[in-house]
Amino acid sequence: GAFTDARKRKIGLIELANHGTLFLDEISEMPLSLQPKLLRFLESRSFRRLGGVNEISVELRIIAATNQPMEKIIADKKFRHDLYFRLNLFHMHIPPLRERKEEILLIAQFFLDSIGKRLGRKVPYLSEACRQVLTNYSWPGNLRELSNVMERALILCSGDCIELTHLPIEMQQPQPGVISLHPDLDHLQDKSLRQFINSIEASLLQQALARTGGNQLKAASLLNEPRHIIRYLLKKHNLK
């Protein structure tokens, strides 16, 4: 009830979390002035409501998360040693996406399914070229970036297949140090050999056109093909 025009009691989050879980996200950002109060609560598992006089005890699980190196923050005197050791009963390190390449496509599909359901859209499949880029990208923004990329791709895609042109432009550029993936039978999935080859052909053509701003002559030069072949491929794959 500590807000303007409050007319009734409002239960705080710690009290609401009784017999459940309290998740403290970005714990490293907590102001130093609040940290002793949190430490006292962790020690006693009790608190007083604002303006109250009675101690209220709760039983709950506490999970704290951060994407910052806590050792450095503690060394910089921005976080208390005692609070850190009180929170750090069980430590779980979750590696960034770039260190979990085998999970990227599974997580991307999860986001596609979730976003497609929310938007009421049929979920397209990812082209082989797109899958390769998603796997090899460094993902500096981790899960949030992957979720945003999948939502963007789903909005832009009007067909049954998400191609490279549906990804942000910086992801369409070759990644330094990335070695081309050698195709194997697992990449076919439910496609025939001809469909697989056609999807690679169409994807490379779209990349060349995207990089040259739609200039067919320059795209032909990038692909080392004469211009009439580019016109033929555009017609073959029904691309504008």
Side-chain angles (χ1 to χ4, degrees):
F3 54 90
T4 303
D5 200 35
R7 300 180 184 275
K8 61 181 181 179
R9 186 177 68 191
K10 183 178 180 181
I11 302 300
L13 296 180
I14 290 178
E15 192 169 352
L16 281 174
N18 192 23
H19 301 300
T21 300
L22 179 68
F23 178 51
L24 304 174
D25 198 11
E26 300 297 351
I27 188 68
S28 58
E29 303 296 327
M30 175 173 276
L32 276 170
S33 59
L34 287 180
Q35 292 179 27
K37 299 179 182 181
L38 177 60
L39 180 61
R40 282 196 298 271
F41 165 71
L42 293 175
E43 294 288 353
S44 65
R45 295 299 171 108
S46 63
F47 65 95
R48 292 182 184 179
R49 295 192 185 113
L50 190 62
V53 294
N54 298 321
E55 291 285 330
I56 299 175
S57 297
V58 292
E59 285 294 333
L60 46 75
R61 176 194 300 110
I62 295 175
I63 299 176
T66 180
N67 63 355
Q68 301 295 324
M70 290 302 297
E71 295 78 6
K72 182 179 185 304
I73 293 175
I74 292 171
D76 292 341
K77 301 188 182 303
K78 295 180 180 179
F79 203 86
R80 294 174 58 115
H81 279 91
D82 46 4
L83 177 56
Y84 172 72
F85 291 123
R86 189 66 184 83
L87 285 169
N88 196 29
L89 185 62
F90 291 98
H91 182 86
M92 185 179 354
H93 172 67
I94 301 178
L97 272 181
R98 63 180 175 272
E99 296 177 14
R100 295 184 284 154
K101 290 185 178 295
E102 69 281 358
E103 299 179 17
I104 290 175
L105 294 180
L106 293 173
I107 299 172
Q109 190 62 54
F110 169 78
F111 283 139
L112 278 177
D113 293 340
S114 301
I115 297 166
K117 184 177 181 180
R118 172 165 58 84
L119 298 179
R121 292 279 307 277
K122 179 182 177 183
V123 178
Y125 66 90
L126 295 164
S127 70
E128 181 57 36
C130 191
R131 292 164 66 88
Q132 182 176 342
V133 168
L134 292 178
T135 302
N136 291 321
Y137 184 62
S138 60
W139 297 109
N142 271 306
L143 290 176
R144 289 186 179 93
E145 184 180 10
L146 178 56
S147 176
N148 288 341
V149 168
M150 290 298 95
E151 183 166 4
R152 167 199 168 97
L154 191 58
I155 291 172
L156 293 178
C157 180
S158 58
D160 295 328
C161 180
I162 292 177
E163 301 286 357
L164 284 180
T165 52
H166 300 132
L167 301 180
I169 189 66
E170 60 270 17
M171 294 184 65
Q172 298 176 28
Q173 306 300 323
Q175 296 292 306
V178 171
I179 301 174
S180 297
L181 183 66
H182 294 289
D184 57 47
L185 289 176
D186 291 337
H187 297 151
L188 287 178
Q189 296 184 352
D190 56 348
K191 296 179 185 177
S192 68
L193 175 61
R194 187 174 298 276
Q195 288 174 324
F196 178 71
I197 293 173
N198 282 339
S199 68
I200 294 176
E201 192 175 68
S203 177
L204 290 174
L205 178 59
Q206 287 180 307
Q207 290 178 65
L209 289 169
R211 194 174 299 180
T212 60
N215 187 305
Q216 293 183 21
L217 191 59
K218 292 181 179 179
S221 177
L222 280 178
L223 294 171
N224 296 316
E225 293 284 0
R227 186 176 181 181
H228 72 272
I229 294 296
I230 300 302
R231 288 198 294 264
Y232 163 77
L233 292 176
L234 287 171
K235 185 176 181 181
K236 173 184 175 182
H237 297 292
N238 195 28
L239 298 173
K240 295 182 180 180

